[in-house]
Amino acid sequence: MSKPIRYRLYLIGYPIRHSLSPHIMNYIFRRNGIDALYELYEVESNLKQVIKIFRDTGVYGFNVTIPYKERIMEYLDGLSRDALEIGAVNTVQNKEGELIGYNTDWLGVYKPITRFGGNNFDQALIIGAGGAAKAAIYALRDIVKTIYIANRTFSRAKQLSLRFKRYFQDITPLKLGSKGVEDVASKVDIVINATPIGMKEGEKPIPTESLNNDTIVFDMIYKPLHTELLKRAEEKGLKTIDGLWMLIYQAVEAVKIWFDISADVDEIRRFIVEEVL
Ligand SMILES: NC(=O)c1ccc[n+]([C@@H]2O[C@H](COP(=O)([O-])OP(=O)(O)OC[C@H]3O[C@@H](n4cnc5c(N)ncnc54)[C@H](OP(=O)(O)O)[C@@H]3O)[C@@H](O)[C@H]2O)c1
């Protein structure tokens, strides 16, 4: 009979059937000799009940994705400073029976930008005002002076600009689709797409014609890896960062919290691109 697995970890969310996270996590565990298994746990409703099951069965840790990153917070026993400031949790650690919430999404934005772009920028445009946008804005707090937030629902962009105001010299909410967004896109150093616009072929969140030559374009979407936004930016010779970088960096940071190890981001990316995608 085979030995039971020592550590069990999950991703909760809905829908998550096509998630790449188990591939990334189980690859890290294999490569580092950790006797752990990471599985999907689709939660359509009754989050409270699932958390009770996790507590009762002594889950080692779990990740949280759409639509629970904010709602999960009320079921946890503690929050890291980052999670509290961002207002969202994507990683939970079971610390001797206490469930502690963390946010590693912001590092999924911060690490690739500082690695491929630098750490001192004047202006950035964030498209979207959901959980991922919040993490992105937080990630830019020490490396960008001025932020614009463009969202379909203007009131949410406004809410975020109030929430994160203290971190920036200036922060301006915009209505996605307005002329103002196009003007801003032509002058910023970084554009980050934190909406699902681009998952369907041919669609992009903003017109790309006006993007200037030095802009770094970051798309959080990883399916497809080359979104229309990134394709157009590449055609213009701009530096681009795809959502797979974010996915891998946030995963590596989650594993660091659970097992105190540093996994090799580039090796994981090679594995995913060559053997999974
Ligand atoms: N690569 C990664 O590791 C990673 C991590 C996290 C998230 N993501 C991706 O980032 C995106 C946002 O995730 P989230 O967690 O922030 O989701 P969320 O909290 O549900 O927010 C979604 C955002 O997208 C906007 N939006 C949705 N559909 C839209 C449409 N058809 N037209 C215009 N705007 C639309 C929403 O605008 P309203 O406010 O107007 O509804 C909102 O600002 C998703 O595509 C997700 O897969 C990637």
Side-chain angles (χ1 to χ4, degrees):
M1 222 168 64
S2 62
K3 234 172 43 152
I5 288 151
R6 183 154 179 209
Y7 306 111
R8 288 196 170 265
L9 301 107
Y10 299 93
L11 171 65
I12 62 170
Y14 185 84
I16 51 174
R17 236 170 316 141
H18 302 293
S19 170
L20 290 177
S21 292
H23 293 283
I24 296 174
M25 293 300 190
N26 291 319
Y27 178 80
I28 298 175
F29 299 153
R30 274 199 308 279
R31 290 288 288 140
N32 289 276
I34 299 171
D35 183 17
L37 181 65
Y38 186 97
E39 294 170 293
L40 298 177
Y41 200 118
E42 207 156 53
V43 180
E44 247 192 282
S45 59
N46 217 344
L47 178 65
K48 189 177 174 184
Q49 176 67 17
V50 172
I51 301 308
K52 185 177 178 325
I53 294 170
F54 280 179
R55 284 184 190 275
D56 292 348
T57 54
V59 68
Y60 192 72
F62 57 97
N63 284 129
V64 185
T65 190
I66 287 180
Y68 300 121
K69 284 183 185 180
E70 289 160 358
R71 226 180 303 161
I72 188 74
M73 294 168 75
E74 66 177 283
Y75 301 113
L76 302 178
D77 304 307
L79 294 174
S80 73
R81 191 194 156 88
D82 296 329
L84 196 64
E85 300 268 315
I86 295 165
V89 162
N90 76 319
T91 301
V92 177
Q93 180 187 32
N94 187 345
K95 259 189 186 165
E96 291 154 10
E98 302 247 283
L99 296 182
I100 310 297
Y102 299 82
N103 189 301
T104 68
D105 276 338
W106 78 272
L107 288 162
V109 176
Y110 178 84
K111 295 248 169 178
I113 288 183
T114 50
R115 173 175 169 185
F116 300 117
N119 60 9
N120 187 8
F121 302 96
D122 283 332
Q123 312 190 64
L125 166 64
I126 319 296
I127 308 161
K134 286 200 287 188
I137 297 165
Y138 185 75
L140 301 182
R141 72 198 184 285
D142 291 329
I143 57 174
V144 176
K145 296 185 186 74
T146 296
I147 295 274
Y148 297 89
I149 307 167
N151 197 46
R152 176 177 64 181
T153 310
F154 178 71
S155 59
R156 291 186 81 197
K158 213 164 152 190
Q159 269 169 22
L160 287 208
S161 54
L162 291 175
R163 181 182 187 108
F164 292 104
K165 199 173 155 191
R166 69 182 184 283
Y167 292 120
F168 300 96
Q169 282 178 11
D170 206 4
I171 186 160
T172 307
L174 299 165
K175 167 95 178 104
L176 188 61
S178 68
K179 178 75 176 71
V181 176
E182 215 177 315
D183 295 342
V184 164
S186 69
K187 64 174 185 177
V188 292
D189 306 296
I190 304 173
V191 169
I192 301 181
N193 177 32
T195 75
I197 311 170
M199 292 182 75
K200 291 195 201 118
E201 210 181 314
E203 62 176 18
K204 53 184 168 40
I206 52 164
T208 42
E209 294 74 25
S210 58
L211 289 175
N212 81 60
N213 292 337
D214 303 316
T215 307
I216 297 166
V217 181
F218 190 134
D219 201 330
M220 289 193 183
I221 293 169
Y222 57 87
K223 264 184 191 167
L225 200 52
H226 295 287
T227 57
E228 190 69 17
L229 176 66
L230 294 191
K231 277 190 216 159
R232 297 291 179 92
E234 273 159 23
E235 279 163 23
K236 287 173 78 92
L238 307 187
K239 214 174 261 181
T240 60
I241 300 171
D242 62 57
L244 184 57
W245 285 113
M246 178 175 179
L247 189 71
I248 296 172
Y249 270 108
Q250 64 77 29
V252 163
E253 294 297 324
V255 173
K256 205 179 273 175
I257 290 168
W258 293 323
F259 296 105
D260 199 19
I261 58 153
S262 294
D264 185 331
V265 168
D266 294 346
E267 186 189 291
I268 300 165
R269 187 172 168 104
R270 267 196 305 279
F271 165 71
I272 296 293
V273 171
E274 287 166 19
E275 296 186 40
V276 181
L277 289 180

